[in-house]
Amino acid sequence: MTTVTLVYPYFHPSNDNSIFRFPPLGLGYIAAFLKSRDVSVELVDCTFMSLPSALEKIRRSYPRIIGIQVMFSMKEKALELAKLLRGDCELLVAGGPLPTSNPEDFLSSFDVVAIGEGEETMLELVQALQDGNGLAKVKGVAFKEKGKTVVNPPRGYIKNLDGIPLPDRDMFDNQAYKSYYSKNFGYTTTSVITSRGCPFQCDFCSRPVFGNGFRSRTAPNIAEEVETVLRLGYER
């Protein structure tokens, strides 16, 4: 049995050869953070999977908690997955920019919405489930109680980004990503997140999750991740 299974519900259309096809580093960070606290984790990135295959992999992990990342382009599939997986876990959690911005929209399909950064919130949800203490003391979540929406006090942003373990890239299908880029563009590449937060107001980014205050990782910490990426065989 797995304690937490994290799901990235992006299903890659066969006719889409977008240059922006990257692994879900946000879930990679949460997975690494939970594993560093001895929590068993699975990560299901649906980018190169069919819906039936994704459902099989999620269910085969026998999760107590399922966390689904939601962005605007993934809302429909995230809600579909939530409906199909409702009976397969004890706690169904939505997180990411869209649930953070509008938690009420997801509480009819999910048990909990994680608002803002997910590392510490997911750990506290695990602890609350294991201890049987309920959700009242978990910061940065919204849930329904007796038919009414409860929004707990917000969680502060993580100040020291170097203190978070690097995203667990071994949980991604790196070969599939490399093959995709090599076939479509003639090179292999992946993404690295060097900072969180932004003072500007662009509509398309994850500022709702990471906030307006700019926080940066240090150069040695970033270099360590770049070396990890190169060891995995990415060219740039």
Side-chain angles (χ1 to χ4, degrees):
M1 176 179 285
T2 302
T3 303
V4 178
T5 295
L6 302 170
V7 183
Y8 185 63
Y10 179 80
F11 292 90
H12 177 68
S14 59
N15 62 344
D16 181 7
N17 63 347
S18 169
I19 197 170
F20 299 108
R21 189 69 61 238
F22 300 122
L25 293 183
L27 296 186
Y29 271 109
I30 293 172
F33 185 84
L34 293 177
K35 288 170 77 172
S36 73
R37 270 65 175 180
D38 298 321
V39 177
S40 59
V41 185
E42 291 284 344
L43 195 158
V44 180
D45 176 2
C46 303
T47 303
F48 300 105
M49 304 177 72
S50 66
L51 179 60
S53 296
L55 285 169
E56 181 183 2
K57 186 173 182 180
I58 294 165
R59 287 170 172 154
R60 200 169 58 237
S61 68
Y62 300 104
R64 297 191 68 188
I65 298 174
I66 296 175
I68 301 179
Q69 180 179 348
V70 190
M71 293 188 286
F72 179 78
S73 60
M74 304 176 191
K75 182 179 180 180
E76 183 178 336
K77 283 298 182 182
L79 293 174
E80 181 180 357
L81 278 173
K83 181 179 180 180
L84 293 169
L85 294 168
R86 171 60 83 176
D88 292 293
C89 64
E90 298 172 54
L91 203 63
L92 194 57
V93 184
L98 211 55
T100 291
S101 300
N102 299 290
E104 185 73 35
D105 289 352
F106 293 86
L107 289 176
S108 59
S109 301
F110 291 83
D111 301 311
V112 187
V113 167
I115 299 172
E117 292 176 322
E119 289 90 352
E120 293 174 346
T121 299
M122 286 301 294
L123 178 62
E124 288 193 16
L125 286 173
V126 169
Q127 294 168 339
L129 184 64
Q130 291 175 337
D131 298 340
N133 291 334
L135 303 175
K137 294 184 179 181
V138 180
K139 291 183 179 180
V141 298
F143 57 96
K144 291 280 190 181
E145 188 172 68
K146 297 180 180 178
K148 295 183 178 180
T149 298
V150 177
V151 180
N152 285 357
R155 180 176 302 282
Y157 295 112
I158 298 171
K159 294 180 180 180
N160 177 21
L161 298 184
D162 285 10
I164 311 170
L166 298 179
D168 192 339
R169 292 177 182 269
D170 289 335
M171 303 189 83
F172 304 138
D173 190 344
N174 292 290
Q175 188 56 51
Y177 280 103
K178 288 187 290 185
S179 296
Y180 172 83
Y181 271 94
S182 182
K183 176 183 177 181
N184 288 288
F185 306 105
Y187 59 86
T188 60
T189 188
T190 192
S191 54
V192 175
I193 299 173
T194 62
S195 63
R196 295 186 180 186
C198 179
F200 301 106
Q201 306 294 320
C202 303
D203 291 333
F204 56 80
C205 80
S206 58
R207 186 170 53 86
V209 173
F210 296 136
N212 289 10
F214 180 77
R215 294 161 289 145
S216 180
R217 297 164 56 193
T218 63
N221 186 256
I222 295 169
E224 181 182 351
E225 184 173 4
V226 171
E227 289 173 356
T228 299
V229 166
L230 294 174
R231 284 196 296 270
L232 289 170
Y234 289 97
E235 296 170 339
R236 53 173 95 171

